[in-house]
Amino acid sequence: MVDDSPVVRSALLRALQEDPEIEPLGAAGDPIEAWELIQQLRPDAITLDVEMPHMDGLAFLKRLMRARPVRVVMVSSMARRSPRLVLEALKSGAIAVIPKPHASYPLPQMIEDLRHTLRTVLDKPLRGVEAPATPSSLLGRVIAVGSSTGGTVAFEQFARRLPRPFPPVVLVQHLPPGFVARFVERLHSELGVDARVAAGGEVLAPNQIFVAPASHHLKVRRQGDELVTELWDAPPVNHHRPSADVLMCSVASAVGRRAVGVILTGMGADGAKGLLAMRRAGAPTLAQDEASCVVYGMPRAAMELGAASEQLPLLQIPSRVGELVTPHP
């Protein structure tokens, strides 16, 4: 259940728990929280509001149906005021649209309609919106990025200019606890990208950004034909947890030459050894130049170690990455 109203979430939860054919798995207050729960719980169906913080329900529905199709029932007060919204929701992949209670549509009736709809849609084949084909040049690729001081702004500029579609991006950004979620929320709201705090076990897919949590190292490992995230509760490396060295060494091992490594502005030397491991594995590696850095520490260390094959101004890095992951024949 995805709704920004705690009252609505609580009422739906109580009502659906009373139905023996429906098992409520969880509830989220916004699309960012919802995406994390969907990845963890893998529900058969979700209810989705329209007016929510960070991203409206229709925009989330469209992205969800492309990235991970699921049965969706829209539940919104706008349903009775906007026939256009109903048509747009159904066109975008929703199976049904139910209005929230109002004077002539009491809560008991709404709950009964929702129960009936959920029981019905769970018996129907999963319907999705056909996703555009992923260019073969993106398959199995990963972009690994490390940054620190000044890196939140630098990475936002990088991600904003990164040509679409792009391979999954895994990022270590040194931030105090409590700031990573805000950073990810900003990427969601300002750039409209599928960004999330890595929880471990997620399958990497194009047009996604995974940011390491402040409490764990982030790694990438191969699982059959897929690449997945992994969290590692080990001591700090280079005085950092998460560490860009840990991430990039794992990418070098799991992805090899089909990865691209990027070191952005930051203090210290974290990431230099990992970037070198990526370069030795055959991956192209880039470092931000001194003139565009807030702090020319991490890129300097990478250059001095011979880890970066190229050094570029920040605003030139995204297009260069695009050239590297979609090479001309």
Side-chain angles (χ1 to χ4, degrees), residues 185-198:
E185 288 174 9
R186 179 173 175 82
L187 293 176
H188 257 295
S189 60
E190 295 296 319
L191 306 185
V193 296
D194 179 9
R196 66 191 83 167
V197 181

Side-chain angles (χ1 to χ4, degrees), residues 3 21 45 47 69 92 120 131 146 157 162 168 215 220 242 247 267 277 292 318 326:
D3 196 297
E21 297 182 45
T47 66
S92 300
T120 301
Q157 292 178 314
L162 194 61
S215 58
V220 171
L247 172 63
M267 187 177 297
S292 63
T326 54

Side-chain angles (χ1 to χ4, degrees), residues 50 59 66 82 86 127-128 183 226 252 254 269 284:
V50 173
R66 291 190 180 97
S82 176
V86 174
R127 173 186 168 213
F183 174 51
E226 297 176 326

Side-chain angles (χ1 to χ4, degrees), residues 87-294:
L87 292 175
E88 182 68 15
L90 295 173
K91 179 182 176 182
S92 300
I95 291 180
V97 181
I98 294 177
K100 288 186 176 179
H102 52 87
S104 58
Y105 187 58
L107 178 62
Q109 183 61 56
M110 179 263 183
I111 291 296
E112 182 53 39
D113 288 348
L114 178 59
R115 285 176 172 174
H116 175 75
T117 300
L118 287 173
R119 288 193 298 264
T120 301
V121 302
L122 287 173
D123 290 331
K124 290 184 178 182
L126 182 61
R127 173 186 168 213
V129 176
E130 185 177 350
T134 300
S136 59
S137 60
L138 299 188
L139 297 177
R141 289 192 177 274
V142 173
I143 302 169
V145 184
S147 57
S148 186
T149 310
T152 54
V153 174
F155 181 80
E156 185 176 325
Q157 292 178 314
F158 167 81
R160 187 186 300 276
R161 292 168 174 80
L162 194 61
R164 272 63 168 169
F166 56 83
V169 177
V170 285
L171 168 68
V172 164
Q173 166 64 49
H174 300 154
L175 284 171
F179 283 82
V180 176
R182 297 182 198 175
F183 174 51
V184 169
E185 288 174 9
R186 179 173 175 82
L187 293 176
H188 257 295
S189 60
E190 295 296 319
L191 306 185
V193 296
D194 179 9
R196 66 191 83 167
V197 181
E202 299 106 334
V203 176
L204 301 187
N207 299 318
Q208 296 178 331
I209 297 174
F210 292 93
V211 183
S215 58
H216 290 74
H217 295 296
L218 173 62
K219 302 172 75 173
V220 171
R221 63 180 173 85
R222 188 167 291 280
Q223 183 174 285
D225 294 332
E226 297 176 326
L227 296 169
V228 301
T229 63
E230 179 181 352
L231 299 186
W232 188 34
D233 186 16
V237 174
N238 299 323
H239 308 290
H240 293 289
R241 186 176 62 189
S243 164
D245 272 338
V246 171
L247 172 63
M248 291 182 169
C249 284
S250 74
V251 170
S253 176
V255 188
R257 61 184 180 83
R258 292 189 63 77
V260 177
V262 180
I263 290 290
L264 300 178
T265 175
M267 187 177 297
D270 188 35
K273 292 180 180 178
L275 196 70
L276 180 61
M278 291 185 66
R279 186 175 186 183
R280 288 175 172 169
T285 52
L286 311 177
Q288 185 177 347
D289 74 349
E290 183 173 6
S292 63
C293 281
V294 174

